[in-house]
Amino acid sequence: MNRLSDAYNYQVSDKPSEDPSSSPDIPDDVWEKFARDTERDIRASAKKEPSARARMVSERLRAGEQPAGWRAGSTVKTPRRRRLLPVLGLLLAIAVAVVAMKPSLLPGDPFGKSEPDSAAASPLAPETAAPTAAPSAVAAQVPTLDHPFAGSPALGWADGAAGIILPKATAVGPISKDRVELALQQTKILLVGANLDPKTLRGDRPAAALAVLDPKQAKVLDLLKTSLAAPTEEHDPTQLFSRFNPKDVRLVGDVVKTRGRVTFATDARGGVTVHSDFTFVYPLVRTDGSTQVARTIVRRVIDVEILDPARYQVTSGLLTLTRYDADFGNSACGVYDGYLNPEFDSVSPTGAPPTGPTTDPYDRSKDISRGQAACGTASRT
């Protein structure tokens, strides 16, 4: 199911990798030259008839006589053994060269090109501007414990915090470059602490995320703490924090796919607003022993502000949270227990029937609407 959150707003007081199978066939004249050169090299390295002197030395060795200068106990390596190694080495080199030029000669799929996660070798470039369309359709594949992102547009997305790339800080009006840099770093702490921290995902208190928020925003912090302690529809911690009930589900592996961007600009009050827009994809499995994998997709748009403490009642160095919106793909409708509740095909739905529209949770080209929206259906997960 796909449910869209309320918008929370607060004011402060005054290149695809190349497919090996697509390589062109090698022309016949090239193969013929390769065979001729190979035969010539093998003949050149083959054993030759020993000279008369060599035969004489061999006769002495068989009679127990050692040439002058040889140390007793040293290992004697015959000419036959010395010449065998170059021949074997050459044959091995030929085999490697043939496989490199014609990998299809090997049986099976030695390079794993048919693996569901092969696209991960070509990660997408970082997002630097709002997309103009939803990600293209991908081949339908069933996610598994070994390949939890199979069949997902997020397969080529960055892993976890690596996908949260901060812009270069600059001074903005009266706000110095150092203060902007601090705000950017704390925004990343907020995003990681709220959406990627394993403790937060298991339903624990998101301490790191809360620590960067200004305590002088008493109403905001009281609302967040209330939602964590006693979640309801009105006080829902998933509006800012990604949380799953550890009694019901667990994350598959330790990777959450991440894509989005962070920007900053001056605002109407002479401060700086840091704007973040990210989508997180969580692969999950039930804790009852089932191996079926389901994915929940969460998109979050968060604005934080830094203001001049000489003019406003704020704590220098901490963030003022002014907006947080969220959109959820595959979370049960009408369930407000403080967790995101993914639905699995093998289990009967636990939430209310969806009444909203069908939407693509991977589509980052559209704004998250403000205000209440009916819980709908995700077109893909």
Side-chain angles (χ1 to χ4, degrees):
M1 306 304 170
N2 191 56
R3 68 183 166 96
L4 187 69
S5 75
D6 289 320
Y8 285 76
N9 297 276
Y10 296 95
Q11 301 297 326
V12 181
S13 59
D14 248 281
K15 244 170 208 185
S17 59
E18 183 178 353
D19 185 349
S21 65
S22 64
S23 300
D25 292 335
I26 300 174
D28 292 339
D29 58 335
V30 176
W31 275 109
E32 291 173 1
K33 184 177 184 302
F34 184 81
R36 289 196 304 270
D37 294 344
T38 298
E39 182 179 3
R40 182 196 61 215
D41 292 339
I42 292 176
R43 287 179 176 176
S45 62
K47 176 184 176 183
K48 298 179 181 178
E49 184 67 23
S51 64
R53 177 175 176 79
R55 289 196 296 270
M56 181 181 66
V57 171
S58 297
E59 290 296 332
R60 288 182 177 180
L61 291 174
R62 281 195 292 269
E65 181 181 346
Q66 292 184 342
W70 284 25
R71 291 182 294 109
S74 64
T75 302
V76 179
K77 297 183 179 178
T78 65
R80 179 181 178 88
R81 184 173 294 176
R82 287 202 302 269
R83 296 184 188 279
L84 181 61
L85 292 177
V87 173
L88 292 177
L90 180 59
L91 292 175
L92 179 59
I94 292 171
V96 172
V98 170
V99 171
M101 290 185 289
K102 201 77 171 177
S104 59
L105 295 176
L106 288 180
D109 187 25
F111 297 106
K113 71 173 186 174
S114 63
E115 287 293 323
D117 287 355
S118 60
S122 301
L124 294 177
E127 184 178 287
T128 57
T132 58
S136 301
V138 297
Q141 294 176 335
V142 177
T144 65
L145 296 178
D146 291 331
H147 304 284
F149 297 102
S152 167
L155 183 58
W157 292 9
D159 294 353
I164 304 176
I165 301 175
L166 301 176
K168 183 178 180 180
T170 60
V172 178
I175 309 299
S176 68
K177 175 183 175 180
D178 289 344
R179 288 194 63 201
V180 172
E181 175 65 26
L182 176 61
L184 292 172
Q185 294 294 340
Q186 289 180 322
T187 298
K188 185 169 185 175
I189 292 174
L190 173 62
L191 292 169
V192 171
N195 301 283
L196 300 172
D197 187 330
K199 293 182 179 179
T200 300
L201 299 182
R202 293 195 300 265
D204 292 347
R205 186 175 184 273
L210 294 171
V212 298
L213 300 179
D214 190 347
K216 291 186 177 180
Q217 273 194 297
K219 292 184 179 180
V220 175
L221 289 182
D222 286 346
L223 174 63
L224 294 176
K225 292 176 181 178
T226 298
S227 68
L228 290 166
T232 63
E233 180 177 0
E234 183 180 359
H235 300 94
D236 184 1
T238 65
Q239 299 297 333
L240 185 60
F241 309 113
S242 294
R243 313 171 77 240
F244 300 92
N245 191 336
K247 295 180 180 179
D248 297 333
V249 297
R250 62 175 176 82
L251 198 68
V252 177
D254 56 3
V255 172
V256 174
K257 289 294 185 178
T258 306
R259 186 158 183 82
R261 64 193 182 280
V262 177
T263 58
F264 64 92
T266 186
D267 57 34
R269 290 186 288 187
V272 175
T273 292
V274 179
H275 175 80
S276 60
D277 183 342
F278 282 88
T279 299
F280 304 91
V281 183
Y282 304 92
L284 301 146
V285 68
R286 293 182 58 82
T287 56
D288 60 2
S290 170
T291 59
Q292 183 186 18
V293 176
R295 291 185 290 254
T296 291
I297 301 95
V298 178
R299 183 181 174 191
R300 297 194 185 279
V301 175
I302 299 175
D303 287 347
V304 294
E305 194 174 25
I306 49 175
L307 297 170
D308 185 355
R311 298 178 55 193
Y312 296 95
Q313 296 180 13
V314 294
T315 303
S316 180
L318 295 179
L319 302 177
T320 297
L321 185 63
T322 58
R323 173 192 175 189
Y324 55 102
D325 298 338
D327 189 13
F328 310 100
N330 188 25
S331 184
C333 296
V335 179
Y336 300 100
D337 59 357
Y339 302 106
L340 297 171
N341 293 274
E343 298 194 334
F344 296 79
D345 293 339
S346 59
V347 180
S348 299
T350 57
T355 58
T358 297
T359 58
D360 182 357
Y362 291 98
D363 187 356
R364 297 183 39 75
S365 65
K366 299 178 181 179
D367 292 335
I368 295 181
S369 301
R370 298 190 177 190
Q372 184 68 31
C375 181
T377 303
S379 62
R380 55 179 173 176
T381 61

